[in-house]
Amino acid sequence: MARWQPDGRRRLQDAALELYGERGFAEVTAAEVAARAGLTERTFFRHFADKKEVLFGDETRLAETIADGVRAAPPEASPMEAVLVGFAALSESAHARRDRLLRRERIIEQNAELRERELAKFAAWTAALASALRERGVAEASLVAEVAIATGRMAFHRWIEADRPVPLAEAMREGFAAVRAFVS
Amino acid sequence: MARWQPDGRRRLQDAALELYGERGFAEVTAAEVAARAGLTERTFFRHFADKKEVLFGDETRLAETIADGVRAAPPEASPMEAVLVGFAALSESAHARRDRLLRRERIIEQNAELRERELAKFAAWTAALASALRERGVAEASLVAEVAIATGRMAFHRWIEADRPVPLAEAMREGFAAVRAFVS
DNA sequence: TCCCTGATGTCAGCGACTGTCATCAGAGTA
DNA sequence: TACTCTGATGACAGTCGCTGACATCAGGGA
């Protein structure tokens, strides 16, 4: 028989989502999350660098998902088209986890530290996307990536808040149009 | 005779800039900063909400500086022109404090928590700018503000890293051109 | 059979931050 | 002159986030 229940990391994530959701991030201690997961505080901090990270642990992969999508776009595709391919990949995985993502959003928007961390994650996405765009020879790749991620965030926000979800790609095209109007 | 030296807040900011610069943010305790300023740790946390905020205390005003610049732009100005007016106001105050800003940049870029906080401040700038743009009837004001702030950051970065500073407005126009190429 | 490894527990300790109460110079007021 | 009020500070105790060091022990491989 196994000495411990398997999947401790996942149990910590579930426990955090529950407790942060019930009482708010600031009112829950790391030790409480660990206890609900049947683990100790020390083990919590072995899995996650800090109390916030338990809500963000899987986001690094998403940055690579976008970047890989851009790399997978046909060579003749314009940068904008390549970006849309990148976000399409993201969109699929988001659909399956919509409920969990929504609960997570509600927790994050209630707390300034978590909003800060979310911004940092988006910045990492931006860096990964910029790198993929630079490989395609896009000029001012960092800035272009910022615009793309900002548009993607807007589209995601509209998608998750809507009862009847708007297709992500459509929202992004609208966003790009607004940006075009601004810089023209 | 005054019971305490005046200007405790400023002394804390100076002490923090010195100590964080000498040994790095993570290696300095709040109590040490306070001691160098001739105050106690408790007083440090009365002036600043946390150990990071001592480097960011004056940034809120800057957000309003940009937004006010946009509001001051002539009614017939395009959104892009209005944004350029907003940043011009910022540019002037930055020139005078270039040395201090550079020391601050060096500290922030060395530490992940400080970079996070900086992103949060930029997000606040974005919100203030979006509000001013919305008053002008700009569509998708939040997204447009994101693009504008991203461009401004890029321009600022280029300005502060260059030995012979590039004019901010020029760098911004270049940025807008790159964005235009992307979304067209 | 034995050792090694990896995930966990235990414990001690530092530093960030907060609540609470005390202090006291200077400004305002009688 | 005396009296009070206020605001910035100090003192102190306490909680919580996070870390280092060491112990434990099931399962896998030599």
Side-chain angles (χ1 to χ4, degrees):
Chain A
M1 174 184 148
R3 188 172 176 193
W4 299 282
Q5 299 299 316
D7 223 359
R9 181 184 172 89
R10 172 56 57 102
R11 267 153 48 220
L12 286 166
Q13 289 171 323
D14 291 344
L17 210 56
E18 283 177 28
L19 287 173
Y20 295 172
E22 289 167 12
R23 311 197 331 246
F25 174 78
E27 305 309 315
V28 177
T29 69
E32 286 171 328
V33 175
R36 172 155 319 188
L39 295 168
T40 63
E41 185 189 20
R42 191 66 185 85
T43 298
F44 179 102
F45 287 110
R46 284 204 183 89
H47 283 284
F48 302 102
D50 60 43
K51 194 185 153 194
K52 301 163 225 168
E53 198 64 17
V54 65
L55 291 176
F56 295 91
D58 300 334
E59 301 248 324
T60 317
R61 287 185 324 203
L62 299 183
E64 287 311 313
T65 302
I66 302 178
D68 289 346
V70 168
R71 292 191 179 94
E76 68 275 15
S78 71
M80 195 173 88
E81 286 163 348
V83 163
L84 286 168
V85 171
F87 275 90
L90 205 63
S91 171
E92 289 175 26
S93 83
H95 253 87
R97 301 184 305 143
R98 187 161 191 278
D99 184 64
R100 193 183 179 90
L101 284 173
L102 189 54
R103 285 203 293 155
R104 184 173 161 281
E105 273 310 289
R106 294 284 176 250
I107 295 170
I108 292 171
E109 70 191 4
Q110 293 295 325
N111 180 275
E113 286 182 70
L114 293 174
R115 290 196 302 270
E116 261 189 37
R117 177 58 52 85
E118 190 175 38
L119 291 172
K121 295 298 177 181
F122 289 142
W125 294 21
T126 301
L129 175 56
S131 176
L133 288 172
R134 212 167 281 121
E135 291 169 19
R136 295 180 76 94
V138 174
E140 298 276 8
S142 293
L143 181 54
V144 167
E146 293 269 5
V147 173
I149 295 292
T151 308
R153 285 172 53 194
M154 179 276 288
F156 174 78
H157 185 257
R158 215 155 279 183
W159 171 76
I160 204 164
E161 293 297 338
D163 285 342
R164 180 172 300 278
V166 188
L168 213 66
E170 188 181 317
M172 290 200 68
R173 284 180 201 282
E174 286 173 19
F176 286 144
V179 173
R180 190 181 312 127
F182 172 61
V183 293
S184 296
Chain B
M1 176 185 145
R3 187 170 175 197
W4 298 282
Q5 299 299 316
D7 223 359
R9 182 184 172 89
R10 171 57 56 99
R11 266 153 48 220
L12 286 166
Q13 289 172 323
D14 290 345
L17 210 56
E18 282 178 29
L19 286 173
Y20 295 172
E22 289 167 13
R23 314 203 322 251
F25 175 79
E27 305 308 315
V28 177
T29 69
E32 286 170 328
V33 174
R36 173 155 317 188
L39 296 167
T40 62
E41 186 189 20
R42 191 65 185 85
T43 298
F44 179 103
F45 287 110
R46 284 204 184 89
H47 282 285
F48 302 102
D50 60 43
K51 193 185 154 193
K52 302 163 222 165
E53 198 65 17
V54 66
L55 291 176
F56 295 91
D58 300 333
E59 301 248 325
T60 318
R61 287 185 323 201
L62 298 184
E64 288 311 313
T65 302
I66 302 177
D68 288 347
V70 168
R71 293 192 178 95
E76 68 274 16
S78 71
M80 194 172 91
E81 286 162 347
V83 163
L84 286 168
V85 172
F87 275 90
L90 204 63
S91 170
E92 290 174 25
S93 84
H95 252 88
R97 301 184 307 143
R98 187 160 191 277
D99 183 64
R100 193 182 180 91
L101 284 173
L102 189 55
R103 283 204 294 156
R104 184 173 161 281
E105 270 315 284
R106 295 283 175 253
I107 295 169
I108 292 172
E109 70 190 5
Q110 293 295 325
N111 181 274
E113 286 181 70
L114 293 174
R115 290 195 303 268
E116 261 189 35
R117 176 59 51 84
E118 190 174 37
L119 291 172
K121 295 300 177 180
F122 289 142
W125 293 21
T126 302
L129 175 57
S131 175
L133 288 172
R134 212 168 280 120
E135 290 170 21
R136 295 180 78 93
V138 174
E140 299 276 10
S142 293
L143 182 55
V144 167
E146 292 270 5
V147 173
I149 296 292
T151 309
R153 285 172 53 194
M154 179 276 288
F156 174 78
H157 185 257
R158 216 154 278 183
W159 171 75
I160 204 164
E161 292 297 337
D163 285 342
R164 181 172 298 281
V166 188
L168 213 66
E170 188 180 316
M172 291 200 67
R173 284 181 201 282
E174 287 173 19
F176 287 143
V179 173
R180 191 181 312 128
F182 172 61
V183 293
S184 295

